[in-house]
Amino acid sequence: DVQMTQSPSTLSASVGDRVTITCRASQSIGKWLAWHQQKPGKAPKVLIYEASNVQSAVPSRFSGSGSGTEFTLTISSLQPDDFATYYCQYHDRYFGPGTIVDIK
Amino acid sequence: EVQLVESGGGLVKPGGSRRLSCVASGFTFTDAWMTWVRQAPGKGLEWVGHIKSGTASGPTEYAAPVKGRFIISRDDSKNTVYLQMMSLTADDTGVYYCTAAGGWGQGTLVTVSS
C-alpha cells in the first residue's frame, strides 16, 4: 500500500503569512493527489485535485504543486478562515495524517 | 452543486451490523467513483473503500482494517451508494463520510458500544 506522510504536523502562523505544507508518498503516484481542508466539527472540503487543479469556488490563494512522490499545498496569504487541518490524499484512497494550521 | 447525504448511523452493539446509505445529486452518478471515509473521535481521516463507476457490483477496493467485513455497493437507478458493515468493533466507531466528484457529505455517526 502507498503510505502518505505530511510535514509539519502542526504549523503556527499569522494572518498574511505564506504557508507551505508538504506531502510525500512512499512510491510514485503521478499527479493523483488531492488536498482537503477540515474545520473542527465539520465535514472536509476539497481544495485541490490532481495535484494542482483548484476546486471550484476555492479562493485563489490556495495552490498545489508536485508530482511523483513530493507535493506541496501553498496558501499565499493566510486568512482567518484558513485556520484548520489539512489532509493530502492519494487518488480516492490513503490519507496523510494531517497538518494543523493554528494561530501563532 | 454536488450534494451527498449520508444516513443510517446510530448505536450498534459489538459484533453487530449496520448499513449506511449515501444519496448523491448534482453530478453524473454513473460516471463517479464513490468513496467512503471515516473519522474516529479526535483522529484523522481514514479511507474505508470505494466502488468504481460502471457497474453495480464493483470493482471495489477496501482498506485493510475493513476488508472482509465491509461491502460497498451502488444502485445507479437511485443515485445511491451503500456501506454494509458487519462484525463491528469499538474501533469502527466514528463519523462516516461519503465523498465523490469533489464533494463531501455531512457524515453520519456510528457508535459501536454495548
Side-chain angles (χ1 to χ4, degrees):
Chain A
D1 294 348
V2 177
Q3 309 294 324
M4 308 301 293
T5 59
Q6 287 181 234
S7 61
S9 55
T10 304
L11 189 161
S12 296
S14 302
V15 172
D17 284 353
R18 181 180 180 88
V19 165
T20 299
I21 300 169
T22 299
C23 175
R24 291 185 174 86
S26 59
Q27 61 193 69
S28 178
I29 59 171
K31 283 187 167 283
W32 292 112
L33 187 97
W35 289 97
H36 306 272
Q37 177 195 64
Q38 187 179 34
K39 298 179 183 177
K42 301 293 187 183
K45 169 186 167 182
V46 179
L47 298 175
I48 305 285
Y49 63 97
E50 292 176 12
S52 59
N53 295 301
V54 181
Q55 185 70 14
S56 175
V58 170
S60 58
R61 62 182 179 273
F62 290 94
S63 63
S65 64
S67 65
T69 61
E70 187 158 329
F71 302 84
T72 59
L73 172 71
T74 299
I75 308 172
S76 60
S77 178
L78 196 66
Q79 298 301 301
D81 192 46
D82 302 337
F83 292 98
T85 301
Y86 294 84
Y87 295 93
C88 62
Q89 183 193 17
Y90 160 54
H91 192 27
D92 289 315
R93 294 177 179 85
Y94 307 107
F95 288 89
T99 295
I100 300 170
V101 176
D102 64 16
I103 300 172
K104 184 184 287 185
Chain B
E1 180 192 0
V2 172
Q3 290 203 342
L4 299 159
V5 180
E6 303 95 337
S7 62
L11 179 62
V12 187
K13 291 190 185 320
S17 299
R18 197 79 173 185
R19 188 178 83 156
L20 307 182
S21 301
C22 170
V23 179
S25 61
F27 60 97
T28 305
F29 184 80
T30 50
D31 290 345
W33 289 28
M34 300 300 295
T35 299
W36 287 96
V37 174
R38 68 184 180 183
Q39 188 168 37
K43 302 296 185 183
L45 301 174
E46 180 185 21
W47 173 67
V48 171
H50 59 227
I51 185 164
K52 298 180 183 180
S53 56
T55 172
S57 60
T60 52
E61 291 185 284
Y62 300 95
V66 308
K67 199 168 185 179
R69 301 189 299 121
F70 288 15
I71 297 172
I72 299 173
S73 61
R74 61 192 295 159
D75 184 339
D76 288 350
S77 69
K78 295 182 178 178
N79 279 17
T80 300
V81 62
Y82 303 99
L83 178 65
Q84 177 69 49
M85 306 184 292
M86 297 168 286
S87 303
L88 288 164
T89 73
D91 288 343
D92 298 312
T93 292
V95 177
Y96 284 72
Y97 296 101
C98 167
T99 174
W104 287 75
Q106 84 288 350
T108 188
L109 176 63
V110 174
T111 303
V112 183
S113 174
S114 54

